[in-house]
Amino acid sequence: MNLSSLKVGVDVPWVTSWTGEPSLGAGPCPSVGRALAIRQVENPGLGKPLYSQNHAVRQRLSVRDMRCPMCGQPTPATDRWTQVAHPVPAGRLRADGRGGGLPGDIADDRILVDAGAIAPLHRACVDRSLRYCPHLKADPHIDVRRFPDRWVVLPLMARAEAAPQLFLARPVPARTAAVIGFLQLCGLTGEHDPAWRDRRR
């Protein structure tokens, strides 16, 4: 397998997996405080890029350290943008089974900016990715907005034997041994959804 002429962080997003980065299965990982997580070989640029598949460890580092998934550099508080996050009441995430780890003091009607597994980007990286990425160009749901100053991080669980790119395909049954796959990021806004509050009365 050869080193690609494509440059990581310029031609290919930093968070993207490459064919030269196979899964190592589950084990303690420093990216999540040595908790059990899906691990993966670290060889960005080796082989071919797998554009639709995030590298398990780099994805977690991007959320944990607020590193731009495009270039891999830290994003300052003044330059954090999301392309795909959408406002959603906390109660909707809980009802869908994706918000079980939300702190109890976040009311169901509190609006969150659900970025899923995609950390904020620099504005210049947003513009670059929208200009060159065919997946983003074709996505009708792109919604570029500033990412909130406060956020919560939730673990997205995987079957212990699952490949890191496949674990989100279906929920993990309660009795299945589960480990951390990716990290989900939700920005906290000061807004509330009156319709959600009224529905819960």
Side-chain angles (χ1 to χ4, degrees), residues 110-182:
R110 177 88 174 264
I111 298 294
L112 305 178
V113 178
D114 180 14
I118 303 174
L121 296 83
H122 302 102
R123 182 60 204 232
C125 290
V126 166
D127 295 342
R128 180 177 176 78
S129 62
L130 290 175
R131 193 163 47 245
Y132 295 112
C133 176
H135 297 291
L136 291 173
K137 282 182 181 181
D139 188 339
H141 305 293
I142 295 298
D143 181 15
V144 177
R145 62 175 64 215
R146 265 190 196 283
F147 196 75
D149 294 333
R150 296 175 52 228
W151 58 86
V152 293
V153 175
L154 307 171
L156 294 171
M157 306 308 285
R159 289 192 328 272
E161 71 278 8
Q165 298 84 9
L166 303 178
F167 80 92
L168 287 175
R170 54 191 173 278
V172 178
R175 290 177 287 167
T176 302
V179 299
I180 298 171
F182 292 156

Side-chain angles (χ1 to χ4, degrees), residues 51-68:
Y51 287 104
S52 61
Q53 299 177 8
N54 284 340
H55 186 277
V57 178
R58 289 196 296 274
Q59 187 281 330
R60 295 191 298 262
L61 291 174
S62 71
V63 170
R64 186 193 77 181
D65 301 338
M66 281 292 169
R67 294 176 69 167
C68 175

Side-chain angles (χ1 to χ4, degrees), residues 11-93:
D11 303 313
V12 179
W14 172 77
V15 78
T16 296
S17 278
W18 293 72
T19 54
E21 298 183 306
S23 174
L24 294 171
C29 184
S31 69
V32 284
R34 304 213 47 84
L36 290 179
I38 297 292
R39 297 174 304 147
Q40 199 170 346
V41 170
E42 180 73 21
N43 277 327
L46 187 64
K48 295 180 180 178
L50 301 169
Y51 287 104
S52 61
Q53 299 177 8
N54 284 340
H55 186 277
V57 178
R58 289 196 296 274
Q59 187 281 330
R60 295 191 298 262
L61 291 174
S62 71
V63 170
R64 186 193 77 181
D65 301 338
M66 281 292 169
R67 294 176 69 167
C68 175
M70 180 63 200
C71 70
Q73 296 303 307
T75 55
T78 55
D79 191 16
R80 288 184 180 140
W81 297 81
T82 179
Q83 302 165 307
V84 295
H86 300 290
V88 61
R92 169 70 57 219
L93 286 182

